Amino acid sequence: MVRITEDLVRRRAEHNNCEIFSLEEISLHQQEIEKLEYLDKWCRDLKILYLQNNLIPKIENVGKLKKLEYLNVALNNIERIENLEGCEELRKLDLTANFIGELSSVETLKYNIHLKELFLVGNPCTDFEGYRQFVVATLHQLKYLDSKEIERSERIQALQSYPEVKQKIREQEQAYLLKRAKEKEEAQRRMRERKDRKEKQMEAELGLDSPDSLQYKENHQTEGEREQQMWRTAEDDEEDRRFWEEPTPYTPESRLETHRYIEEKRKAKDNIRGSKKREKPLPKLVTAEGKVLNINMPKLHFSLKDDEENNQFILDLAVYRHLDTSLLDIDVQPTYIRVLVKGKTFQLVLPEEVKPDSSSAKRSQTTGHLVVSMPKVKEIILAKQKLSTSVKPSNSNTTQKSTRSKQVEKLEVDPSKYSFPDVTKIIPEKEQIGQGPIKLQPEKIKETMKNLNESASAVQKIQGENIRRDIFVPCEALLK
């Protein structure tokens, strides 16, 4: 039986920050609730309450909701109107598609003086002769009945014929109550028959009919399971067909029975699915001979790198980027590594033995990959010697390249093959005679440099700074 719990109310009160003491509106529809309780204690300030499409058989525990203005209990198993006298502010009451046959119970709504709208469509009482006249004459405060406005003339006529209509309603109620008693007996009989069939089916499944069945199942387990499964499916199909094709009256009992039947089938399917999940064999991590196997249950991409410089193995496992690190469990052994990713095993055999105590694991902040570094047990020192020997040829190669680059290679071109004119000889050179800039007279520059060298040698023979100055003065003049 599904009941109203505090957790359910808080979950349905998200619009009020899950606070229930100050809640003014709540929707508890389609929750398969079978009893109405606790709301008058937890939610005293409720103004709007939705309880449609449940299995509530009785209106109760709402009398203390003084501020309640709208109550919707459509599509339930309610058979009479009661316990609403305390709802002083009730303005709208929806009882659509229930099982109200005691129309006289409408008289309890006289005390709800603010009640303006009432819905009774889909109830057995609406088939009674004089139903609308009785309700209109009984509830003077009503303005709308079944979404139809009550006019003043209609109310006057209903009040005039009220005694006769009331008598007819009483007689029809008595007939309906007798009919309901028979329906309840019929429903109890069907429940007993269904219970007996279920017990026989359970006995057949357990094998109580044949004592040799257990031994047979032990000897032929697989065949027995298949036959039993086929027999169960056939029985279930037959039971479903018989249940849904059997004509039954629409009563609170049949509605509750249908709901419980569907619930049983759903639970049976869930149990079958759960048993299949439980029966799923666990993967073999190590063979009977002790050989460790490679397993990749999470189906992740990975790479194992042999880092010879640092003498270690590096495993790069492409773990999901947004996966929480707490869902990873790493176990490094000398010959293999095992990683649990959300309970799924990734196992990889290593080419050489490693040091589990010196291993380290990190996660990339960009890609989320898991990087595990595992130092090898055997230390290799030959790596540096290889590097030193490999340097020598590289130096010789570089020297050869440098020498080659220093040697300038010139291309020989045959001038006879080209007929381009020599641009440098377009204007003939003229011999420059006479005075001119020093730059244009290289012969004079050579003579001056020769005189300077002779004067410099003469200066070296003379001692004293003053004499040197006198000698260098004409030299500077010559340069100018």
Side-chain angles (χ1 to χ4, degrees), residues 407-415 417-418:
Q407 294 176 0
V408 181
E409 295 181 359
K410 295 182 180 180
L411 296 175
E412 296 180 358
V413 180
D414 188 3
K417 293 182 180 180
Y418 301 96

Side-chain angles (χ1 to χ4, degrees), residues 18 41-42 106 151 169 208 244 269 335 363 408 416 425 437 464 476:
C18 298
K41 297 178 181 178
W42 297 338
V106 174
E151 298 180 356
I169 294 295
L208 296 177
W244 293 112
K269 287 182 180 179
T335 57
R363 281 197 74 182
V408 181
S416 63
K425 296 181 180 180
E476 292 175 0

Side-chain angles (χ1 to χ4, degrees), residues 91-92 99 134 172 191 221 259 285 287 423 440 447:
R91 299 176 184 275
K92 186 177 179 180
F99 297 92
F134 179 78
Q172 294 176 73
M191 288 292 291
Q221 188 174 3
H259 166 71
L285 304 179
T287 61
V423 181
L440 300 177
E447 291 178 1

Side-chain angles (χ1 to χ4, degrees), residues 137 176 203 239 252 306 320 333 348 357 376-377 392 411:
Y176 176 77
E203 289 177 359
E239 186 181 0
D306 189 358
Y320 314 115
Q333 296 295 330
L348 182 65
D357 298 338
K376 298 179 184 178
V377 173
K392 291 181 180 179
L411 296 175

Side-chain angles (χ1 to χ4, degrees), residues 310-323:
N310 299 319
N311 194 30
Q312 63 180 358
F313 290 114
I314 298 176
L315 174 65
D316 188 351
L317 186 61
V319 180
Y320 314 115
R321 180 178 180 182
H322 300 289
L323 183 68

